[in-house]
Amino acid sequence: MRRKKRFDGLDVLVAERGGALLATAVLLTGSRVAGEDLLQVALERLMRNWSRVQGDKEGYLRRTLYHLAVDRWRLRRRRPEVLAEIEPPGQADGTEALHLRQALIQALAMLPPRQRAVLVLRYWEQFSESEAAELLGCSVGTVKSTASRGLARLRELTAAWALEDAGMNGVGR
């Protein structure tokens, strides 16, 4: 309750004039993000000096916006911004790995059950050939030949998908 009395009227000022103040800040900085930052800093200064500001709080806030913007311009003049022509590479968000995993699961589903079982045991679960043979109740030679045929079939399937993707990407160009 004490805080509400301390900044009495700030919520009304921001609710009624916040849009116009933000528009001014955006015009002063040239971008919405920089304008939001500028307005936030100006609001912080207003709150620090709330009890000392007599009369027009919006006027104080606008003057603070202008002064902060001028300070930024002066700082930029002393230390000019260097704009890179090349955009930095984006951060991997895991989407590519998720798509690859989904494609692998779809390709495995298209294989016969024995090939799928051998490939999952050998390459997903990291079992040795002898361990996979023991689990499946077959010889090591059968595991080797089945894995070879399964990998060949996976290569065929994924190569067809790569061609389809290349064809779809080239259509819109």
Side-chain angles (χ1 to χ4, degrees):
M1 196 65 163
R2 182 173 180 245
R3 184 171 290 199
K4 184 159 177 75
K5 287 182 182 180
R6 182 173 176 198
F7 299 114
D8 190 34
L10 179 63
D11 53 345
V12 174
L13 173 64
V14 171
E16 290 178 357
R17 303 295 304 152
L21 291 166
L22 179 59
T24 300
V26 168
L27 290 172
L28 288 171
T29 60
S31 76
R32 179 167 179 97
V33 172
E36 289 172 350
D37 290 345
L38 181 67
L39 181 58
Q40 180 176 350
V41 172
L43 283 167
E44 288 172 3
R45 285 199 182 174
L46 174 63
M47 290 176 73
R48 272 190 303 216
N49 298 313
W50 188 261
S51 61
R52 289 184 287 191
V53 175
Q54 302 297 321
D56 185 19
K57 308 272 189 198
E58 182 182 353
Y60 177 88
L61 191 56
R62 284 186 179 278
R63 278 190 310 279
T64 304
L65 280 173
Y66 295 125
H67 288 280
L68 288 171
V70 168
D71 288 346
R72 287 184 181 188
W73 294 333
R74 287 180 183 150
L75 181 65
R76 232 183 276 136
R77 197 174 312 140
R78 279 182 262 145
R79 289 186 295 178
E81 293 179 4
V82 177
L83 301 176
E85 291 184 23
I86 300 172
E87 204 170 305
Q91 296 291 328
D93 63 355
T95 306
E96 187 69 28
L98 186 63
H99 288 293
L100 184 60
R101 182 182 175 132
Q102 187 62 36
L104 177 62
I105 290 170
Q106 288 175 348
L108 282 171
M110 299 172 88
L111 296 177
R114 179 172 222 128
Q115 287 179 1
R116 188 177 339 139
V118 167
L119 292 180
V120 168
L121 287 173
R122 286 285 293 126
Y123 302 106
W124 194 277
E125 298 290 336
Q126 299 291 313
F127 281 98
S128 69
E129 291 169 343
S130 59
E131 291 171 329
E134 187 179 321
L135 279 169
L136 295 173
C138 62
S139 70
V140 173
T142 302
V143 169
K144 287 181 181 181
S145 63
T146 305
S148 177
R149 285 192 307 273
L151 287 173
R153 181 66 181 136
L154 276 180
R155 285 185 196 104
E156 290 172 11
L157 291 170
T158 56
W161 291 347
L163 290 174
E164 289 174 11
D165 286 347
M168 287 176 32
N169 289 340
V171 170
R173 292 182 183 171

